[in-house]
Each structure stands twice: as structure tokens, then as C-alpha cells.
Amino acid sequence: MAGEQLRYDGQTVVVTGAGGGLGRAYALFFASRGANVVVNDLGGSFKGEGGGSKAADAVVNEITSAGGKATANYDSVENGDKIIETAIKAYGRVDVLINNAGILRDISFKNMKDQDWDLIMKVHVVGAYKCARAAWPHFRKQKYGRVINTASAAGLFGSFGQTNYSAAKLAQVGFTETLAKEGAKYNIHANVIAPIAASRMTATVMPPEVLDKLKPEWVVPLVAVLVHKSSEETGSIFEVGGGHIAKLRWQRAKGTLLRADDSFTPAALLKKWDGVADFSEPSYPTGPANFMELLEDAHKLPPNDPAEPIRYDGKVALITGAGAGIGRLYALQFAKYGAKIVVNDLMDPEGVVQEIKKLGGEAVGVKASAEDGDAVVKGAIDAFGRIDIIINNAGILRDKAFTNMEDQQFQQVLDVHLRGTYKVTKAAWPYLLKQKYGRIINTTSTSGIYGNFGQANYAAAKCGILGFSRALAREGQKYNILINTIAPNAGTAMTRSIMPEEMVQAFKPDYIAPAVLLLCSDKVPEPNTGRLFEVGSGWVAETRWQRTGGAAFPVDVTLTPEAVLGKWADVLNFDDGRADHPNDPSAGTAKIMANMDNVSGKGAKSSGGKGKNEEVLAAIEAAKKAKAEGTEFTYDERDVILYNLGVGAKRTDLALVYENDDNFQVLPGFGVIPTFNAIAPYSMGEVVPNFNMKMLLHGEQYLEIRGPIPTEGTLVSYPHLVEVVDKGNAGLVVSGSVTKDKRTGKDLFYNESTVFIRGSGGFGGPSKGTDRGAATRVYKTPSRAPDSVVEEKTTEEQAALYRLSGDRNPLHIDPGFSKVGGFPTPILHGLAFFGIASKAVVKTYGAFKNIKVRFAGVVLPGQTLITEMWKEGNVVIFQTKVKETGKLCIAGAGAELAEGAKPRL
């Protein structure tokens, strides 16, 4: 198929928001490949203001002038029926719908107004629904249809200052997955893309040089493949832009299972919390877990270990939809453990209030819809003067096959679930900010995550809640407001309409509440915000994204659908060792941004002027794709102490040298150790010409801490080649390595080491490295005096001690070898004084989440190091000098502090 040109002759393609940017590119492309195109555009601003016919007319004129067929439509997507009517009147059919129209209303949550929320929902969520709903009968009748809905990185991962946009965009995922399930037997396919492309919207947040390489034309070919009659892909999620395309799917941890009885408590769950995020045996679900089987297994387990109860004394918990079912159970459980309860319900909260009072608890009822969040929160403040915990639990069902769904049914579900969650949280937010404390649990569902027949409304609303939660978690974290999302499985009055009665009875809310209570405590290890958990039957498991390594295309060659098909297997391949788990917008777009310097090289010359060495270039590309088998590194408390001593810990630093100290810990610089002797799937001699170990210089080091560092364990490191840069007289090789905890499967560290190899350039590779954010950042020291200075004298034995942690290079111990290298005595390892400098950062400012250094000079054992530090917001910029020579040994360095970092040691 890759050899044929994909055509759309005789088909009608409807593109919303087609007056400019990505929509215009879609319209022009499909017209050029034989389709009739309906060019819809309201003609307003990217903020959703104004209107007019000029934008759509201009695109139609472009198409017709080139001999194509196109018709303009100027309706808002809220009037999707009129847009589809235009297609039917003009061409008698509709085959493809591309829901592309969108606006931005970026604003921090504390300053967001209801109109900022409502307008985004109206355009993105309701607009996509209205257009798809109007096209659906035509698709079913002709047994053919293709739908593309548009998400974004902000939706997939949550973006600061975009709670409205993130909610709307992730709503597209649940909506799309439901359409895919309902449309399958009618040959109606629905997919969702998360594009990054230059447009009126992105022009406000991206620099021109980046926008130039993010042309909409990089997105169109993927969509062309997905909507072609030959495509079998449906219900899928893709990220695309700048020459990069990858697929995403859900990955579910094995989770932890406890006996489902009265011994299942928050404290019992805490004891087995590590298993919740155990991705060592993951699954890749497209629907809910087998909760009946889980329940049967849970009943076979012995009673859960008793534990000291987790208390909520002095805390005020607000629970919406708490008049019955799972909300009632939450209320009773929180009251049991000491919290004061606000029972909110649209029907009658008083019965639950009285239950709590009879048990000796404190409670007040607020009879109101969750949509009236102001009234709900006012009831809490009036009664108790504060609010600490919010469980957004209220909900309704209006299930209906999509072909029969009425607008009111879609809007009602969206309002109660998504807008209700927003309104209650928004009303409480000022109180949470002021007290710098809050715990929020929002409720999604497996229908939202995976889509479900007859629940296009519910799936959109529930997945939107997840997008909202992830975005808000980023805004709340620095104020100690933690937000998580659960997808519960319980028998309730709501589920009684879709579950057999015996299942309703079996799936007790009692087997969900402990997870909710625990997440609202202060006991869960970090990170404890922005996460998604599936819960029920005594089982709790985390669910996250997995992304393929994808396909990358050179940015100096026009991309075609046929070229995309040529690499389609790479786009879909989750099993080639390149898959990862992005969890924030920067990680979401990292591969797109990393492709900016991917050029075909036609006519290019290396900076060394020696022309291309095709053998080396081919070896580099092969090495980049090579997958490491993984090298294990097992360590215990002895190794921790040895490393800490190797980077200057003193006998009086008990937390670093005594395993029985209450605060015994690993210095974070230890993250470079597990990967040091890991086996790479390539050799240096393959990826640069004239390789000579003696000509190698360690230039830069980047370390990212991705999880709490245990004081013993078995880790597995997976090295890979990041890039090779041709500096003319030298080759620059960047090696990356992901280190995982073997037991949990979770990432612990990520390292990047940059080495310069003199005499190994001139092979015709790129002369400039890619921008990988924090990993490639060079920090500039401020012009003012340092905010802090730490001075530390190394010992004569420092190198001899440090080498026992793994770097056995004789340069650091053998005088004869060091003299051959041009040094009068053995020198100190670069990663040793990196560790000493990073210790100074931790000692002064607290834990960091990543650190980047540039090695600038040599240190001899016994010399004194002076680390000068400047704190700029959440970043510590630093440099390290050798006191005896006055020369820098570390320059351009910086560390991003972890949330809530405090001086340690």
C-alpha cells in the first residue's frame, strides 16, 4: 500500500476550524487528493471572539482555483447539524469528519471564571459531539465513516494554567474510544490525535524558530492514513508533529490485592502500597478489569494485617453525592476515623448526617447540586470554618446508543460530572490555597478511560475529569494541595441500571473506600498527586500512558501519507524497546522537539569538511535503534555508605554513614553509579571514526531522579545511544540510560553522559546537538555574589575510596598510568567531585529532581573544592572551583529542586 497514492475520490470530508492553520492544511490536502471538502470556520479569534466568512471563503477559493471541490460553512461547531447539512446538500454524503476547531482560554485556576470554563467546553467537547452526532446516521446508513477528534499534550498529561483546556482535550479520548466501540460493526472508525503544529493558538506560546519547524503539514499525513478506507486503526491515540509520530495506549500495573472484608482498611492498604504501582507485570487494557475474579481471589486471602488506624482528626471532609451508595460509605468511613463531614447530595443528605451523629461523629448536610459548588462549599465553611478534603463523587447516568443520544442527555452528564467537579473545586480553592493544604479525589471511570457502548456522554465527562485533575495537580502541588483520580467499581443505585443485582451486591463500596481514605492522608509516599488508580474488589492498581518509540521523519523533506505508511510498523510498535511512559507535557512533546534537527543531509557537509562517512552514519542510526538487554546492579547498605564516604561524607554524618540511623539515606548523586558498568547495545568504535580511549574526555553529566531512592535493592539499567554530533576535530557522543527498580518496574534514574573524543569528527554528522530541555541546558551564573558557598577539602585517599563504587579506571589510582595521560598524580574522578558538589546543593537547599553539570577542569585528591550557589526560583545554579588553583572544575551547572525541598543533612 505504501507505494500507491492514497486517494479520496468521490468522498466528502468535513473539516471544522478550517479557515487557517491545521484545518486549512487538512482542507487543501484532501481536495488535492480528490475529495469534496466542506470548509467550516466561524471566523473568530483563537480566544473564541467574533466571527465572519472571510477565513472559510479564502480556503474555498484556494481549492477551487486549483481545480478542487469545496464548499464553505460559517456555523459554530455548536451547530454541528448545520455543518453536516451543508455537506449533504452540496455533495449528498459525508465520509470523513475532522473535528479540528478549537480555542484557548489559558488562565490559572484561582483566576478562572465560569465563562473561561464554559466556552472551552462548548467549542471543544460539545462541538465535537454535535458534529459527530449529526454525521452518525449518515455513517451508519452507508456503513462507512471516519472520525478524527483532536486532543493535545495538555489533555493527555495535564498542563499548568490550562485546567479547562486539559479537561476538554482529554474528554476527546473517552469520547473517541466510545465512538470506536459503537461504530465498529458499521465500519465507522474513530481515532484521536494530539498534534503540535504552528497555529494562531500556538503562536502565543512558542518562539518563531520552533514554530517554523512545526508546520501543520507534518500532522496531515497521519490523519490522511487514519481516515483512508484501507485503514483498520480505530479507538487509537497518536501524538504527531515536527516529523514525529507515535501511538499511546493505557498501561495498567498488576496492582495490589487485599482480602475484601472488614480487615481491609486504609492502614492495611498502606502496608502493601508498593504493589499498587508495580508495573513489572503490566497489562494493556481496553476495558475494566475482571472484578468478579479479583473479588473471588480477594476472598481467598487471609485477613489483612492489623495496623495502627490512620486518623483524620481536625480535618473537614466534603463528599458530593454522599446521600447514598459509595458517597455515603466514604462519609461514614471518614467520620469513623475522626473527620468532620459535609454530606452533599441533591436528594436528601440528612439520613447520612444522622447515621454519623448516632456513631458519635460530627456532620452537616448540604442539599444542592454539585453544579452549585459555591453553595456546597459555603455549607462547609459555615459549619466548620474550613475544608481540607474534597471527594468529588456526585454523578448521574443517561446511557443511550450514540445514534439515539439527545443533546440534553449529553449536556446533563457533562454538567453534573465535569462541570460539577470544576465548580465544587473552584469554590474551595481559595480556602485550600490560604491554608496551604488540601486533598482532592476526583472520580473518573473505566468508561472514561477506555470508552463504553452507550456512554459517549459519560465517557467524555469522566475522561475530562482526569484531564482536569492532572492539570490542577500541577497548580496545587507547591501549595501542598494534592489531587488524584480514581476509577472505582462498585454496586450502587447508579450501576444497578447496568449490572445484574448479584453483582451490585457483591461489589461493595466498602472495598473502594480504603484507597480513597489513604490517598487523602499524609501517609502515601511521594509522588502522591496527579495519578490515576483503578479500584474495586479489594484491588488497587495505577494506570498510566505507554508510548511507542514511533517514527521520525527528516524535517527538510515533505512528508507524505505514503511515507508514513512506509514506517507504520514503527509507529505502532510497543515492543521494540523504545517505548516510554510520558507523564507531563514536556515529556509528551520531547520526541517532537528532539526531531527538530533530523535532516536528510542532502548536500550537507560536516564541519570537518571531510564529507560523509556513510558507514559511520549508518552505524549511528543502527545504534540508536539498538535495545539493551538490561544490566542488573544489586546493592545494600554497605554500598550506600561506601558511595557516601566516596563523595566526602564524614563519620559524624550519621544519616549518611550509619545504617541504623533513623534518617539513613542515599545521596542522590548515587544515581550515576548503577549505570556505570551497564552494557550498552553498541560500542564507541562503531559510532565515531578513529576512536581512541585515551582521547576521550567526559564533558557533561545529567542526572534525573524519578523516584524515591531505596537504601538497598536490585536495579536494572538500559543504556542507549542518544546522539552523535560531529564537531569537526572531535566527535561528541551522548549516551542515555534508564535505570529501573527490578521489583516494581518503575523508573528510578535517568542519566545522560556526554563525552568528547578528539580526532573522531569529520564524518558528516550533524554539527549541533538537539535541545532536550533540562538535559542539555547550560546555566549562566548570575552577576551578583553567590547566595551560598560550601567549601570542602578532599582527602588524599578520595580517589582510592571513590573507585570502589565502580569506576576502576587506573587513571585514578596508578601513578604510572596517570603520567601517560599527562597528569603528575592520579586525578579525582569527575563523577566524584560531581557527587561532592551535588551534596553541597542537597545540604544547602534540599533534594533535587534533576542536575546538570559541565566538567571544566581537573581535581587532584587532597585539593579543596568551593561550590558557589545562586537560587533562582526552583533552580540552584552553581559552579565549583579548586581553591588551590582558582580554576573551575564544574561550570554552567544547575539543579531543579524537588517540590517542597528543604535543606538536609
Side-chain angles (χ1 to χ4, degrees), residues 312-318 334 338-342 364 380-381 383-390 435 439:
Y312 301 87
D313 301 291
K315 296 286 194 294
V316 175
L318 162 62
F334 272 111
K340 300 171 184 177
I341 309 299
V342 181
V364 65
I381 300 302
F384 301 119
R386 64 181 290 123
I387 187 168
D388 301 281
I389 295 166
I390 301 170
Q435 67 203 24
R439 298 292 182 267

Side-chain angles (χ1 to χ4, degrees), residues 290-632:
N290 187 337
F291 283 101
M292 187 56 77
E293 184 178 295
L294 284 166
L295 188 61
E296 290 170 359
D297 290 343
H299 285 319
K300 295 173 187 174
L301 295 172
N304 303 301
D305 292 339
E308 185 76 23
I310 296 171
R311 301 287 302 176
Y312 301 87
D313 301 291
K315 296 286 194 294
V316 175
L318 162 62
I319 300 142
T320 69
I326 191 169
R328 167 184 169 272
L329 208 285
Y330 292 151
L332 293 172
Q333 288 290 308
F334 272 111
K336 175 182 176 181
Y337 293 111
K340 300 171 184 177
I341 309 299
V342 181
V343 181
N344 161 249
D345 203 278
L346 181 59
M347 303 308 287
D348 182 19
E350 198 54 36
V352 177
V353 171
Q354 293 306 316
E355 276 190 89
I356 292 170
K357 287 183 175 180
K358 283 178 184 176
L359 294 169
E362 290 185 64
V364 65
V366 179
K367 186 176 180 179
S369 167
E371 294 174 75
D372 193 0
D374 295 323
V376 175
V377 171
K378 184 177 184 298
I381 300 302
D382 288 350
F384 301 119
R386 64 181 290 123
I387 187 168
D388 301 281
I389 295 166
I390 301 170
I391 313 297
N392 280 308
N393 168 73
I396 60 169
L397 287 179
R398 295 289 186 271
D399 292 359
K400 186 78 75 168
F402 191 61
T403 193
N404 297 321
M405 186 166 285
E406 297 170 4
D407 294 353
Q408 186 182 19
Q409 293 167 328
F410 189 89
Q411 191 68 56
Q412 281 179 334
V413 169
L414 197 68
D415 286 345
V416 172
H417 289 273
L418 185 50
R419 196 173 193 274
T421 296
Y422 154 74
K423 285 293 288 181
V424 170
T425 309
K426 182 72 177 74
W429 199 249
Y431 301 100
L432 304 182
L433 287 176
K434 186 175 181 181
Q435 67 203 24
K436 287 189 169 58
Y437 183 90
R439 298 292 182 267
I440 301 174
I441 301 295
N442 291 328
T443 310
T444 184
S445 77
T446 51
S447 295
I449 307 167
Y450 308 116
N452 195 23
F453 285 89
Q455 292 192 307
N457 47 3
Y458 187 69
K462 285 302 194 183
C463 216
I465 285 171
L466 177 60
F468 169 67
S469 303
R470 286 179 165 175
L472 192 59
R474 302 191 185 284
E475 294 196 36
Q477 192 166 10
K478 70 176 181 178
Y479 298 102
N480 191 25
I481 306 170
L482 307 182
I483 301 144
N484 289 291
T485 311
I486 63 159
N489 181 70
T492 65
M494 199 161 73
T495 57
R496 186 164 269 115
S497 63
I498 55 173
M499 277 186 188
E501 184 60 29
E502 62 270 22
M503 292 179 72
V504 173
Q505 296 296 331
F507 296 143
K508 294 182 180 180
D510 309 59
Y511 308 149
I512 292 168
V516 172
L517 267 72
L518 180 58
L519 286 167
C520 292
S521 73
D522 300 324
K523 303 292 186 181
V524 177
E526 292 184 1
N528 183 26
T529 192
R531 298 168 72 181
L532 167 63
F533 303 94
E534 296 186 55
V535 188
S537 299
W539 172 76
V540 185
E542 185 169 11
T543 301
R544 66 182 182 182
W545 291 120
Q546 186 185 44
R547 173 177 62 182
T548 65
F553 301 90
V555 294
D556 59 338
V557 176
T558 301
L559 185 60
T560 64
E562 295 73 33
V564 171
L565 273 179
K567 287 192 172 185
W568 196 238
D570 291 338
V571 173
L572 304 183
N573 195 335
F574 286 95
D575 303 317
D576 61 5
R578 297 182 303 132
D580 61 358
H581 306 97
N583 64 359
D584 62 54
S586 59
T589 58
K591 291 188 176 182
I592 291 172
M593 304 309 287
N595 199 53
M596 294 294 95
D597 289 327
N598 177 9
V599 295
S600 64
K602 291 177 181 176
K605 292 183 179 179
S606 75
S607 53
K610 298 178 184 177
K612 284 186 174 297
N613 185 328
E614 297 294 348
E615 187 176 334
V616 171
L617 294 174
I620 291 170
E621 289 310 306
K624 285 181 179 178
K625 296 174 184 175
K627 177 185 174 183
E629 292 184 3
T631 304
E632 288 192 5

Side-chain angles (χ1 to χ4, degrees), residues 37-254:
V37 181
V38 175
V39 179
N40 159 260
D41 203 281
L42 181 61
S45 73
F46 71 85
K47 289 185 178 181
E49 301 158 343
S53 62
K54 188 175 179 181
D57 288 342
V59 176
V60 168
N61 290 335
E62 275 190 86
I63 291 171
T64 54
S65 297
K69 297 177 182 177
T71 300
N73 173 278
Y74 318 114
D75 288 292
S76 164
V77 286
E78 292 174 84
N79 300 317
D81 49 343
K82 294 182 179 178
I83 298 171
I84 300 303
E85 186 183 347
T86 298
I88 300 303
K89 283 184 176 178
Y91 305 113
R93 61 183 295 124
V94 57
D95 300 275
V96 177
L97 168 64
I98 301 175
N99 277 316
N100 168 74
I103 59 170
L104 284 179
R105 280 293 182 95
D106 291 1
I107 191 166
S108 67
F109 191 62
K110 68 178 179 180
N111 295 324
M112 186 170 289
K113 296 179 172 61
D114 287 355
Q115 55 262 43
D116 298 316
W117 178 272
D118 293 336
L119 187 59
I120 290 287
M121 295 305 140
K122 192 167 65 172
V123 173
H124 292 273
V125 185
V126 177
Y129 154 75
K130 286 285 285 184
C131 292
R133 176 68 185 83
W136 205 254
H138 302 285
F139 289 160
R140 278 175 48 121
K141 186 177 180 181
Q142 68 204 20
K143 289 191 167 49
Y144 183 90
R146 298 289 185 266
V147 180
I148 296 291
N149 290 320
T150 308
S152 73
L156 299 180
F157 313 110
S159 182
F160 194 97
Q162 292 190 305
T163 51
N164 50 0
Y165 188 69
S166 296
K169 284 305 189 183
L170 199 57
Q172 297 303 304
V173 169
F175 179 58
T176 303
E177 290 172 329
T178 296
L179 294 189
K181 284 181 164 71
E182 291 201 35
K185 72 176 181 178
Y186 299 101
N187 190 23
I188 305 170
H189 294 176
N191 292 287
V192 61
I193 63 165
I196 181 167
S199 68
R200 291 181 301 168
M201 288 201 292
T202 56
T204 64
V205 293
M206 289 184 178
E209 62 272 17
V210 172
L211 290 171
D212 187 53
K213 292 184 178 179
L214 294 175
K215 295 175 181 175
E217 288 77 9
W218 292 112
V219 177
V220 173
L222 168 65
V223 171
V225 168
L226 292 173
V227 303
H228 193 262
K229 61 187 178 184
S230 62
S231 173
E232 296 180 1
E233 200 73 28
T234 189
S236 301
I237 309 159
F238 296 88
E239 66 172 27
V240 56
H244 167 79
I245 303 171
K247 184 177 179 179
L248 291 98
R249 67 179 177 183
W250 293 109
Q251 183 187 57
R252 181 194 286 155
K254 182 180 179 181

